[in-house]
Amino acid sequence: ATAGPAKRGAFILFEGVDRCGKTTQANLLVESLKQAGHDACFMRFPDRTTPIGHMINGFLRNTTDIDDRCVHLLFSANRWEAESKIRELLKAGTTVVCDRYAYSGVAFSASKPGLSVRWCKDPDRGLPAPDKILFLDISVEDAMKRGQFGEERYEKEEFQRTVRATFLALMEEDKASGVAWQLIDANREIGSIQDEIQKIGTSVVGEVEGKEIGSLWS
Ligand code: Z5A
């Protein structure tokens, strides 16, 4: 008898507007998966530690101006430079829990005048596709009540509202293609959100066994 497909890790994304609690919940999910005996790691985009990430950081912190299309391509390049690492981790059985990904890329860029969703999706086509997208949904008013809102370039009320609407439109668009979005009410106690996410995370890790790693938007 031949051996079955190797057990791979799941690719789980956290997406949402600024201050929705992605970083908090992504780290909690990694911890709970590890405690349950799974290999899991945290990853985030933008990864500000690489040379491309340094350019993005300067843009977000308003120390440098970069053309909108150009910075969109930098955010995408910042994911492509991690692509082989993500695939290797998943193939080795490690679940990758990722704080923002290409959906943020499209939601933020396509919320600017003149950049279409289609144009914004193109550079990220072919990246590893997620097994689950957890969209932490919160109104911009409630997100703004949390700390440090307003320090970086995109942390403006009107823009964040447009971004939330673009995220919801992307979710609708994906429904037809069966991409597994899950909308989570993020305006609750950290512990109650965590409980819901832990159940979802555990079931996704079980479901990916034997499933190929997908290819994003292609
Ligand atoms: N961007 C882009 O344009 N294109 C791309 O391709 C990508 C990103 C990938 C930086 O992202 C910017 O880059 C971002 C999108 C754009 N711009 N904006 N806006 P980032 O991920 O580095 O930064 P961020 O979105 O600003 O993340 P954040 O500030 O770290 O927020 P968060 O991860 O969603 O939340 P948090 O750190 O977990 O929590 C925020 C605060 O709220 C903190 O004080 C917590 O203790 C508190 N918190 C968390 N959960 C709760 C609950 N449930 N109740 C009350 N308080 C809470």
Side-chain angles (χ1 to χ4, degrees):
T2 51
K7 185 178 176 303
R8 75 154 167 101
F11 190 26
I12 302 174
L13 307 185
F14 279 82
E15 293 281 13
V17 297
D18 188 41
R19 318 316 284 168
C20 66
K22 301 173 294 17
T23 310
T24 304
Q25 293 297 334
N27 280 303
L28 288 169
L29 178 59
V30 170
E31 282 319 305
S32 69
L33 289 172
K34 281 183 176 170
Q35 272 169 22
H38 300 288
D39 280 334
C41 73
F42 172 85
M43 200 176 265
R44 76 178 317 156
F45 291 105
D47 173 1
R48 303 188 196 214
T49 65
T50 70
I52 291 170
H54 288 161
M55 290 193 258
I56 293 171
N57 187 50
F59 170 80
L60 289 171
R61 294 191 167 274
N62 288 308
T63 56
T64 39
D65 281 327
I66 304 177
D67 168 81
D68 287 336
R69 284 178 178 75
C70 181
V71 82
H72 180 76
L73 297 175
L74 289 177
F75 275 111
S76 176
N78 188 233
R79 283 182 281 278
W80 278 106
E81 61 185 349
E83 187 249 5
S84 54
K85 184 179 166 196
I86 297 172
R87 282 191 198 279
E88 278 162 26
L89 285 165
L90 296 175
K91 282 185 195 154
T94 302
T95 285
V96 177
V97 176
C98 193
D99 182 359
R100 294 199 186 280
Y101 194 56
Y103 291 89
S104 282
V106 176
F108 282 79
S109 292
S111 293
K112 298 175 183 181
L115 273 73
S116 70
V117 166
R118 185 171 169 198
W119 188 91
C120 292
K121 277 184 168 180
D122 276 343
D124 285 301
R125 283 186 209 281
L127 280 170
D131 297 300
K132 190 65 127 187
I133 307 163
L134 299 171
F135 181 66
L136 299 201
D137 194 32
I138 187 169
S139 70
V140 174
E141 291 78 10
D142 289 322
M144 284 174 68
K145 291 177 191 152
R146 299 182 177 173
Q148 292 160 323
F149 191 93
E151 285 178 1
E152 290 203 332
R153 185 179 289 261
Y154 292 145
E155 296 175 359
K156 298 192 181 71
E157 189 175 348
E158 256 329 288
F159 187 67
Q160 292 287 333
R161 268 187 231 287
T162 311
V163 168
R164 179 168 175 265
T166 311
F167 267 125
L168 293 173
L170 287 173
M171 185 165 69
E172 277 305 306
E173 204 178 293
D174 269 3
K175 268 187 186 159
S177 54
V179 181
W181 284 76
Q182 183 108 20
L183 194 134
I184 310 275
D185 173 5
N187 196 25
R188 289 180 289 155
E189 293 285 310
I190 290 177
S192 114
I193 303 169
Q194 179 191 2
D195 290 346
E196 182 181 356
I197 288 176
Q198 191 176 332
K199 289 191 193 98
I200 299 167
T202 307
S203 87
V204 177
V205 167
E207 284 161 18
V208 297
E209 205 162 332
K211 258 177 71 184
E212 297 264 320
I213 301 166
S215 181
L216 188 68
W217 298 327
S218 50

